[in-house]
Amino acid sequence: MDDQLALRIQLFREGGQVTPEVVDFVAAELTALEAEGHLVTEATASMLTSHLMMAIGRLLNGEPIEQFLTDDQVAAELADHPEAVARAHAVAARAERELGAVLPASEVNFLGMHLAVLARQSPPAPAP
């Protein structure tokens, strides 16, 4: 993680927009992605970071998250990215288990899009 993305996370922590538990959860997800070889920087993961922080924060505050008119388009786009979809569902399951935040399908789809973009921007894994 580069300094700029770490600063973004610190601003969320200090700004009080989300609870420390949400910040820790998102930071842990980013660390796991980086450990798997993804390039996790401000340039590649800023939108993922902010979106996940705010979505989980809204859910935990009892604020509704509306379905998006583009849900079908996003789902169709994700058909070519099964790994991102699986990862998005795994993140959503962890968010529910660890924080009690149940991400609706539209949020899981958008998370999948962010993860697909991140995967596309990451260097390929070395051959075994």
Side-chain angles (χ1 to χ4, degrees):
M1 179 180 316
D2 65 3
D3 290 342
Q4 290 178 318
L5 188 59
L7 177 60
R8 176 181 293 271
I9 293 168
Q10 188 63 31
L11 291 172
F12 270 104
R13 186 177 304 281
E14 293 172 357
Q17 293 174 301
V18 295
T19 65
E21 293 80 15
V22 172
V23 176
D24 292 343
F25 177 84
V26 174
E29 290 296 326
L30 294 171
T31 298
L33 286 164
E34 190 170 50
E36 293 169 12
H38 293 278
L39 181 61
V40 178
T41 66
E42 176 70 12
T44 63
S46 61
M47 295 298 290
L48 167 64
T49 302
S50 293
H51 188 106
L52 192 54
M53 293 262 193
M54 297 307 294
I56 293 173
R58 285 192 310 269
L59 287 168
L60 293 178
N61 286 335
E63 299 173 30
I65 294 182
E66 302 298 326
Q67 292 291 105
F68 298 99
L69 297 176
T70 58
D71 280 348
D72 291 339
Q73 294 167 320
V74 171
E77 187 72 28
L78 285 172
D80 293 334
H81 303 283
E83 304 85 13
V85 172
R87 180 60 175 252
H89 284 282
V91 171
R94 281 190 295 278
E96 182 175 3
R97 185 176 61 251
E98 295 176 22
L99 301 170
V102 180
L103 292 168
S106 61
E107 286 296 328
V108 175
N109 283 342
F110 273 104
L111 178 56
M113 289 295 288
H114 287 300
L115 291 166
V117 169
L118 180 67
R120 198 172 40 232
Q121 295 174 337
S122 296

